[in-house]
Amino acid sequence: MSSKRIEDFKKLYIDAKPSISIHRAMAFTASHQKSEGESVIRRRAKAFQDVCKSIPVTIFDNELIVGSVGEFLKTGAVCPEYSWKWVDEEMDSFESRDQDPYCIDQEAKNILRKEIFPYWKGKSLEENFLSRINPETAKILIDTGIIDNDSKWRNAIGEITADYQDIIFKKGFGGLKEEALKQLQSVEPLSAEALEKIDFYNAAVLVCEGIVILANRYADKAMQLAQVEKDSLRKEELLEIARICRKVPEQPPETFYEAAQTVWFTQLGSILSENSLALNLGRFDQYMYPYYSGDIKAGSVTAEKAQELIEALWIKLSEWVWAISSNTAKFFAGYNSFQNLTLGGRTRDGQDATNELSYMCLKATENVKTHQPGLSVRIHPDSPDEFLLAVCKLIRVGTGFPAVHNDRVGAAMLLAEGLSPEDARDWSNCGCVVPHFRKIGKWTSAVNINFAAALEFALNSGKSRISGKDMGLAEIPISEFKSYEEVKAAFYNQLAYLVKHSVIGSITAQQIHAEMVPRPYLSMLVEGCMEQGKDLSKGGAKYNLGPVLTGIGIADSANSLAMVKKLVFEDKKYTLEEIGKALDADWEGYAEMRQAALACPKYGNDDDYVDLIAAEISDFYYREVRAYKDYFGSPFNSAFMGISNYIPAGSIIGATPDGRKAKTPLTEGVSPHAGTDLTSPTAAMRSVAKINHDVHSGGTLMNVKLSPDLLKSDRDLKNLAAIIRAYFALGAFHVQFNVISTEVLRKAQEHPEDYKDLLVRVAGYSTQFVNLSREAQDAIIERTTYEAM
């Protein structure tokens, strides 16, 4: 690592247990109790300011970047305005649950149950959503694993990229406050629209004041510590921290250190405002480079000191914990908050954008090996070979970082969404693999849709094979299908049904968010909101794009349809009725049939027989999703991105015709099903590239697992770089690599205390392997490990 300081902090971070703080909930509740009768957005803004005034201010020993969500090194915050019921129901088992456990003391539980939750009863986002949602939709949407959007009604949205280039670094929050005050002077309360604008600008003033108050509290704390500090070097550091916190983020930063602290304060404000995922860092190497190069030229910072500051920020980003329900944790496993940071790519005028900071950020991720930020790189035909080799060197380390993206496809996705060419070229990654831009308002992960459920309903008369309940559309018995085309049509019919109810769930959630949980602080970070006097939740951003509906299990569906097509309608080896009985029995007693199913063509081996089925499914899905418009009139967007959703999605699905057993994981993203891609990584990539990636503007994700022996030499790295370029030349969008042996993963399962900082790529993100449930760990182990290119 860059210094002993960073090494010490990394150890503290690894050893700390995620703990729940209630200070944010206490302040937020007390504020709302005092502001009854005022407009919703002003109440939210006042509550944010009260949080900034009252939460604990802690500067840990030897910190350079300061600011914490709560009193613990790893803090998760409770947000009762979104949902308190799951906390009340689950917090007695927080410490013992399988996925993402938290520590919480009895006193905190008592305060929550006696003083906080009673106020929010009947007022939370969750309760309002559940009372309004269409009953037919609710049957397949609420905690079923068939379609899932509970992160949009039990939690806040997040999913923004703060605009450092044009807003925060240019104006500071002091400048934003002055802008809001100026706008207030020009608006008279002569219409409903004007009244909303007045409320918006008053709220803007309050949140800008709030984050400045918090920063000044840190300045005061640093000064207090400096006064009693005996070590002269640390005393000097604390005085500098006090100076910086007194200046930023109220004023624009002028140095690299000030800019880094501004980034964290901006991030901290976002977390305190709504404690949500995918609060993205954007193109860090672009907006931070002028400060770095200026300080280097002036001699006010060394490259070594700047590297230490970057690594300190990386650890800071990893300390806060997204507190979520046990159901949500199954879909977003590993304490991951999806704070994505993007490197490389092109400038707004199309030139290569790689700079010295691009390499320093890669080095920081290699050094600290934390799960945040989620590191992504953009590769285009003119990306320097040196940069791509540096990317491959980081891949070789085995952290699962970085995610590698086709720069031209990402820009094409946003260009098709209506962005200007310059803005489309300026894209960054959001959350997992979603092309995004700092002036966009968009739900980038609205609903997860289980493709295997659609296939199950088609072949099981609309019923769940596990529960026996009617969950899909009514369908003819499996024995009555006369052709493969009829089977495929039934699958598409059921999939369209799931898409329709995903849209219903999304639009309902969008309406309730606009009414109940405006986002005055985050609206300061996105262009368009201040100019229009309109909150982000009401479509205030410069660009408003439709929510993303994520498909799960495309490989499983394609493999299953290929099996039906080949063994039933071409080879006539089995009848559909026989297959249905085998699926009901979870293949028990049908070993020969299962072996025949497993031997059928499988997606991921460069076999057009099945690959073109996958491509056809993806095209159908795109057209179906795109036919609907959201609450603001924007078309919905499709995606095949991966979180840990493929594991719970598989747990509610019976056996499938491809040979898969009941309740086992499905496939994440556009990757082949684990263990079925038996040819080579290049064959798998050729299969994946047959899908039309550029239309799925919510992103497509591919995981590849390589043996460490494949990347030992410099020549091996050059081969990997060449494969990445060739893959992108085929039109694919994304690839990421786990470079780790199955033996190491097995050892980590047996002795987790020895592998606390072992990072693995789960799907669209990396996290500590030991923080995953046994089921999630096994799913990663089962992926094909390629021993040769």
Side-chain angles (χ1 to χ4, degrees), residues 21 60 67 124 160 210 213 279 282 295 375 442 480-481 490 569 580 590 592 627 648-649 673 680 740 763 765:
S21 173
F60 298 102
S124 70
I160 65 114
I213 288 168
L279 301 167
D295 283 4
L375 197 70
K442 179 182 185 180
E480 294 183 16
F481 287 107
F569 294 106
Y590 294 87
E592 182 182 335
H673 186 90
S680 69
I740 193 165
Y765 64 99

Side-chain angles (χ1 to χ4, degrees), residues 352 378-389 392 404 406 685 718-732 735 737:
D352 176 61
R378 292 169 43 181
I379 301 298
H380 56 87
D382 296 324
S383 291
D385 289 339
E386 180 187 5
F387 180 62
L388 184 51
L389 283 174
C392 292
V404 189
N406 186 338
M685 288 175 164
K718 290 179 180 178
N719 287 340
L720 180 61
I723 287 172
I724 291 170
R725 288 198 187 274
Y727 177 58
F728 288 167
L730 295 173
V735 64
F737 300 89

Side-chain angles (χ1 to χ4, degrees), residues 203-412:
V205 171
L206 289 166
V207 295
C208 290
E209 289 175 346
I211 193 65
V212 171
I213 288 168
L214 182 61
N216 281 322
R217 291 179 66 210
Y218 273 97
D220 293 341
K221 183 70 172 181
M223 187 63 72
Q224 292 168 11
L225 292 173
Q227 289 172 354
V228 297
E229 179 59 56
K230 292 183 172 55
D231 183 279
S232 59
L233 289 177
R234 181 56 182 166
K235 183 183 184 75
E236 186 178 334
E237 287 178 349
L238 288 166
L239 290 172
E240 177 66 355
I241 288 170
R243 181 196 69 79
I244 290 173
C245 293
R246 197 75 68 193
K247 178 179 180 181
V248 302
E250 182 175 15
Q251 302 172 46
E254 296 178 281
T255 68
F256 187 77
Y257 194 170
E258 290 172 1
Q261 182 64 63
T262 301
V263 169
W264 176 242
F265 271 143
T266 302
Q267 198 75 356
L268 181 59
S270 301
I271 297 164
L272 292 173
S273 70
E274 59 177 48
N275 191 47
S276 51
L277 81 171
L279 301 167
N280 304 289
L281 281 298
R283 302 189 71 187
F284 185 87
D285 59 349
Q286 302 304 298
Y287 59 74
M288 291 292 288
Y289 184 71
Y291 300 96
Y292 173 77
S293 60
D295 283 4
I296 290 291
K297 288 176 184 176
S300 56
V301 75
T302 63
E304 292 74 20
K305 185 62 177 179
Q307 186 72 44
E308 185 182 41
L309 286 168
I310 294 170
E311 292 176 16
L313 179 59
W314 267 218
I315 291 176
K316 208 69 190 164
L317 291 164
S318 298
E319 286 177 357
W320 86 273
V321 177
W322 188 36
I324 49 180
S325 71
S326 58
N327 181 70
T328 308
K330 293 174 183 177
F331 285 79
F332 300 88
Y335 301 114
N336 205 287
S337 48
F338 300 88
Q339 301 166 99
N340 213 298
L341 184 150
T342 304
L343 305 175
R346 293 175 291 168
T347 60
R348 290 176 61 81
D349 62 0
Q351 304 303 306
D352 176 61
T354 311
N355 60 44
E356 190 174 347
L357 273 184
S358 310
Y359 295 90
M360 293 172 71
C361 290
L362 293 175
K363 187 65 176 176
T365 296
E366 178 182 351
N367 285 348
V368 299
K369 295 183 177 65
T370 52
H371 72 301
Q372 294 293 294
L375 197 70
S376 299
V377 296
R378 292 169 43 181
I379 301 298
H380 56 87
D382 296 324
S383 291
D385 289 339
E386 180 187 5
F387 180 62
L388 184 51
L389 283 174
V391 167
C392 292
K393 286 178 182 177
L394 178 55
I395 289 170
R396 177 167 63 185
V397 172
T399 61
F401 289 123
V404 189
H405 295 266
N406 186 338
D407 185 60
R408 292 191 179 277
V409 171

Side-chain angles (χ1 to χ4, degrees), residues 768-779:
Q768 280 80 19
F769 183 73
V770 297
N771 285 340
L772 296 171
S773 67
R774 184 75 179 209
E775 186 179 24
Q777 291 176 350
D778 287 342

Side-chain angles (χ1 to χ4, degrees), residues 551-658:
I552 308 168
I554 185 172
D556 308 282
S557 302
N559 290 343
S560 294
L561 287 174
M563 180 272 198
V564 169
K565 181 181 180 182
K566 181 171 178 55
L567 295 186
V568 176
F569 294 106
E570 291 181 355
D571 296 353
K572 302 188 185 304
K573 189 170 184 177
Y574 304 105
T575 66
L576 275 176
E577 189 172 14
E578 289 172 328
I579 289 173
K581 290 178 180 178
L583 300 182
D584 286 338
D586 195 16
W587 296 107
E588 293 299 321
Y590 294 87
E592 182 182 335
M593 184 190 296
R594 184 171 185 238
Q595 287 306 309
L598 291 171
C600 282
K602 294 290 187 288
Y603 169 80
N605 296 284
D606 194 17
D607 186 337
D608 279 352
Y609 187 92
V610 61
D611 293 348
L612 296 183
I613 295 175
E616 182 185 338
I617 294 171
S618 74
D619 287 345
F620 171 86
Y621 183 57
Y622 163 74
R623 291 191 301 270
E624 197 64 30
V625 167
R626 199 69 178 169
Y628 293 98
K629 292 187 177 180
D630 76 343
Y631 189 66
F632 304 109
S634 301
F636 276 79
N637 289 289
S638 57
F640 294 101
M641 59 175 171
I643 39 181
S644 56
N645 52 20
Y646 65 103
I647 299 172
S651 71
I652 57 95
I653 299 296
T656 44
D658 56 345

Side-chain angles (χ1 to χ4, degrees), residues 426-441:
D426 202 10
W427 69 276
S428 57
N429 200 13
C430 176
C432 287
V433 294
V434 186
H436 204 248
F437 180 56
R438 61 186 187 273
K439 303 178 193 299
I440 284 176

